[in-house]
Amino acid sequence: MTESAAEEWPEPPLAGTEVAAVLGALERQRATLAWKTSGLDAAGLRATLGTSSVTLGGLLKHLAHVEDSHFARLWLGVPVGAPWNTVDWDTDPDWAYRTAAEDSPEQLRTLWRESAARSRAVVEEALSTGGGLDQLGAYVTSGGERPNLRRILLDLVEEYARHVGHADLIRESVDGLTGEDPG
C-alpha cells in the first residue's frame, strides 16, 4: 500500500480476538509507514531532521530487514536471506540506514513491501495450524527459552510504532504532511 483511502485504512477490531487485534495493530503500523513514505522522490526519502542520520528510506530498509530477520531467525530458525545475508552486521550495524541512500525509491518500497508480504505469509501459515499465538518459534535462547508467535508479533508492533514516530517527524519536515492516517 503506498496511498490509502480512508475506507481502506486498516483498523484493529474494537472487540476482536487476540489474533485479530495483534495483526490489526501491526497492519495499522505498516500502513502508516507506507503512507508516511509515499509519494516522495529520492531527495524526500533521503531527508534528515536535525543532527539525526535517520531517513525515511533508511526506515523502509531497516524495517524490511526487521521483518525478514524476525521471522527467519526467531520463528523459522533459518538464516535470513538476501540481501541481509551479505552484510557484516558486526562491523556495519547501521548498514540498512547507511545504504538506503544508494537505492531508488522504487527499490526501497519494493524491498519493504516484499519483506512484509513474506512475513504475512509466514504468520498465515503458522496460524493455519490452529496453534494460535502460543506456538513457539524455532529460536532458543541461551537459557533454553523460545519466543511464541505473540511475542514476535508484539515486538514488530513495537518496532514499527517507534519508527513510525520518527517517520512522522521526518515527513513533516519534508513537506508538512502530518496526521495518523490519510482519512
mmCIF file of all heavy atoms in Angstrom, residues 24 47 62 72 77 97-98 106 118 121 151 155 157 164 172:
data_model
loop_
_atom_site.group_PDB
_atom_site.id
_atom_site.type_symbol
_atom_site.label_atom_id
_atom_site.label_comp_id
_atom_site.label_asym_id
_atom_site.label_seq_id
_atom_site.Cartn_x
_atom_site.Cartn_y
_atom_site.Cartn_z
ATOM 1 N N GLY A 24 -4.107 -6.657 13.513
ATOM 2 C CA GLY A 24 -4.663 -5.361 13.130
ATOM 3 C C GLY A 24 -3.757 -4.210 13.543
ATOM 4 O O GLY A 24 -3.568 -3.253 12.789
ATOM 5 N N ALA A 47 15.949 12.765 3.173
ATOM 6 C CA ALA A 47 15.945 13.916 4.079
ATOM 7 C C ALA A 47 16.167 13.475 5.519
ATOM 8 O O ALA A 47 15.709 12.410 5.938
ATOM 9 C CB ALA A 47 14.614 14.663 3.964
ATOM 10 N N HIS A 62 15.458 -0.574 6.927
ATOM 11 C CA HIS A 62 15.619 -1.167 8.254
ATOM 12 C C HIS A 62 14.425 -2.056 8.600
ATOM 13 O O HIS A 62 14.600 -3.185 9.070
ATOM 14 C CB HIS A 62 15.787 -0.065 9.306
ATOM 15 C CG HIS A 62 15.668 -0.552 10.705
ATOM 16 N ND1 HIS A 62 16.634 -1.343 11.304
ATOM 17 C CD2 HIS A 62 14.683 -0.389 11.636
ATOM 18 C CE1 HIS A 62 16.249 -1.637 12.537
ATOM 19 N NE2 HIS A 62 15.072 -1.071 12.756
ATOM 20 N N ALA A 72 12.651 -15.177 9.949
ATOM 21 C CA ALA A 72 13.645 -16.190 9.588
ATOM 22 C C ALA A 72 14.334 -16.716 10.841
ATOM 23 O O ALA A 72 14.347 -17.923 11.100
ATOM 24 C CB ALA A 72 14.673 -15.612 8.614
ATOM 25 N N GLY A 77 13.916 -20.331 12.382
ATOM 26 C CA GLY A 77 15.223 -20.858 12.766
ATOM 27 C C GLY A 77 16.145 -21.083 11.582
ATOM 28 O O GLY A 77 16.956 -22.007 11.589
ATOM 29 N N TYR A 97 20.409 1.577 7.192
ATOM 30 C CA TYR A 97 20.230 3.031 7.168
ATOM 31 C C TYR A 97 21.238 3.698 6.229
ATOM 32 O O TYR A 97 20.892 4.577 5.455
ATOM 33 C CB TYR A 97 20.399 3.614 8.571
ATOM 34 C CG TYR A 97 19.265 3.305 9.504
ATOM 35 C CD1 TYR A 97 19.426 2.405 10.541
ATOM 36 C CD2 TYR A 97 18.031 3.927 9.353
ATOM 37 C CE1 TYR A 97 18.383 2.125 11.409
ATOM 38 C CE2 TYR A 97 16.982 3.660 10.214
ATOM 39 C CZ TYR A 97 17.161 2.759 11.247
ATOM 40 O OH TYR A 97 16.131 2.484 12.093
ATOM 41 N N ARG A 98 22.488 3.255 6.319
ATOM 42 C CA ARG A 98 23.561 3.884 5.548
ATOM 43 C C ARG A 98 23.405 3.675 4.054
ATOM 44 O O ARG A 98 23.623 4.586 3.260
ATOM 45 C CB ARG A 98 24.915 3.333 6.024
ATOM 46 C CG ARG A 98 26.126 3.967 5.388
ATOM 47 C CD ARG A 98 27.425 3.363 5.892
ATOM 48 N NE ARG A 98 27.519 1.930 5.696
ATOM 49 C CZ ARG A 98 27.712 1.338 4.509
ATOM 50 N NH1 ARG A 98 27.832 2.056 3.420
ATOM 51 N NH2 ARG A 98 27.802 0.020 4.418
ATOM 52 N N GLU A 106 11.748 3.291 -5.642
ATOM 53 C CA GLU A 106 11.053 2.066 -6.045
ATOM 54 C C GLU A 106 11.713 0.840 -5.428
ATOM 55 O O GLU A 106 11.023 -0.080 -4.976
ATOM 56 C CB GLU A 106 11.025 1.941 -7.575
ATOM 57 C CG GLU A 106 10.217 3.022 -8.270
ATOM 58 C CD GLU A 106 10.952 4.388 -8.340
ATOM 59 O OE1 GLU A 106 12.197 4.446 -8.295
ATOM 60 O OE2 GLU A 106 10.242 5.404 -8.409
ATOM 61 N N ARG A 118 6.288 -11.468 2.854
ATOM 62 C CA ARG A 118 6.849 -12.737 3.337
ATOM 63 C C ARG A 118 6.452 -12.974 4.790
ATOM 64 O O ARG A 118 6.088 -14.084 5.173
ATOM 65 C CB ARG A 118 8.375 -12.744 3.194
ATOM 66 C CG ARG A 118 8.853 -13.013 1.782
ATOM 67 C CD ARG A 118 10.362 -13.234 1.738
ATOM 68 N NE ARG A 118 11.125 -12.047 2.052
ATOM 69 C CZ ARG A 118 11.418 -11.085 1.169
ATOM 70 N NH1 ARG A 118 10.992 -11.181 -0.080
ATOM 71 N NH2 ARG A 118 12.139 -10.039 1.525
ATOM 72 N N ALA A 121 2.867 -14.093 5.011
ATOM 73 C CA ALA A 121 2.722 -15.485 4.582
ATOM 74 C C ALA A 121 3.168 -16.447 5.685
ATOM 75 O O ALA A 121 2.512 -17.468 5.923
ATOM 76 C CB ALA A 121 3.517 -15.727 3.300
ATOM 77 N N ARG A 151 4.818 -12.977 21.001
ATOM 78 C CA ARG A 151 5.969 -12.121 21.342
ATOM 79 C C ARG A 151 6.630 -11.564 20.085
ATOM 80 O O ARG A 151 6.981 -10.381 20.025
ATOM 81 C CB ARG A 151 6.979 -12.917 22.172
ATOM 82 C CG ARG A 151 8.301 -12.209 22.425
ATOM 83 C CD ARG A 151 8.128 -10.907 23.204
ATOM 84 N NE ARG A 151 9.343 -10.160 23.260
ATOM 85 C CZ ARG A 151 10.202 -10.194 24.272
ATOM 86 N NH1 ARG A 151 9.967 -10.940 25.328
ATOM 87 N NH2 ARG A 151 11.302 -9.474 24.233
ATOM 88 N N ASP A 155 6.707 -7.628 19.267
ATOM 89 C CA ASP A 155 7.990 -6.949 19.051
ATOM 90 C C ASP A 155 7.968 -6.160 17.744
ATOM 91 O O ASP A 155 8.497 -5.048 17.673
ATOM 92 C CB ASP A 155 9.148 -7.941 19.039
ATOM 93 C CG ASP A 155 9.569 -8.390 20.430
ATOM 94 O OD1 ASP A 155 9.018 -7.876 21.436
ATOM 95 O OD2 ASP A 155 10.435 -9.284 20.518
ATOM 96 N N VAL A 157 5.223 -4.888 16.312
ATOM 97 C CA VAL A 157 4.359 -3.724 16.554
ATOM 98 C C VAL A 157 5.160 -2.631 17.249
ATOM 99 O O VAL A 157 5.109 -1.457 16.861
ATOM 100 C CB VAL A 157 3.108 -4.099 17.381
ATOM 101 C CG1 VAL A 157 2.344 -2.856 17.827
ATOM 102 C CG2 VAL A 157 2.195 -5.033 16.607
ATOM 103 N N VAL A 164 7.622 4.649 13.241
ATOM 104 C CA VAL A 164 6.580 5.481 12.650
ATOM 105 C C VAL A 164 6.603 6.863 13.299
ATOM 106 O O VAL A 164 6.355 7.868 12.637
ATOM 107 C CB VAL A 164 5.196 4.795 12.749
ATOM 108 C CG1 VAL A 164 4.065 5.773 12.525
ATOM 109 C CG2 VAL A 164 5.106 3.663 11.736
ATOM 110 N N GLU A 172 7.013 15.403 8.160
ATOM 111 C CA GLU A 172 6.538 16.774 8.372
ATOM 112 C C GLU A 172 7.602 17.779 7.970
ATOM 113 O O GLU A 172 7.295 18.823 7.377
ATOM 114 C CB GLU A 172 6.138 16.980 9.822
ATOM 115 C CG GLU A 172 5.548 18.365 10.071
ATOM 116 C CD GLU A 172 5.074 18.557 11.492
ATOM 117 O OE1 GLU A 172 5.249 17.683 12.346
ATOM 118 O OE2 GLU A 172 4.508 19.643 11.753
#
